[in-house]
Amino acid sequence: MSAEPTATGGCDGPDCSKALENLYLFLDSEIDGASCEEIQAHIDDCSQCLTEYDLERLVKALVHRSCSEVAPEPLRDKVLLSIRAVQVQITEYRTS
């Protein structure tokens, strides 16, 4: 079921294409059960797709961890002030 790596280091073939096309849906559990099982079976057999899956899973975990951090209050205040300044400029531009 697995495909040989291409010159770019990825894999090809219909199973690899389908698995990689649906990788984000698979990672987010937003795919039907039958497709999920099919993709899981392919990833289990294809080292190239497994590598891609592991990389995307790691990136997703890092993004999740980074998004859960709270900005320090002074930074938060500065960003909000900048947003308000831009809103004022847009309002003034529209009314002039």
Side-chain angles (χ1 to χ4, degrees):
M1 181 185 254
S2 64
E4 292 298 315
T6 62
T8 59
C11 53
D12 60 15
D15 292 336
C16 293
S17 295
K18 182 176 180 183
L20 295 175
E21 248 176 54
N22 294 299
L23 188 58
Y24 293 108
L25 295 173
F26 178 75
L27 281 167
D28 294 336
S29 301
E30 295 178 355
I31 198 165
D32 65 88
S35 295
C36 186
E37 289 174 13
E38 189 178 321
I39 292 169
Q40 183 64 61
H42 177 76
I43 289 172
D44 291 344
D45 290 342
C46 179
S47 63
Q48 295 295 323
C49 286
L50 176 61
T51 299
E52 187 70 23
Y53 167 77
D54 286 340
L55 174 65
E56 294 303 329
R57 191 173 46 85
L58 177 63
V59 168
K60 182 178 171 141
L62 289 171
V63 168
H64 177 73
R65 186 179 76 205
S66 296
C67 291
S68 65
E69 295 175 6
V70 178
E73 195 64 32
L75 175 60
R76 202 170 177 280
D77 291 342
K78 186 175 180 180
V79 168
L80 289 173
L81 183 62
S82 295
I83 291 171
R84 287 186 191 114
V86 169
Q87 288 173 332
V88 168
Q89 289 173 353
I90 290 171
T91 303
E92 289 174 351
Y93 175 78
R94 287 183 180 166
T95 59
S96 60

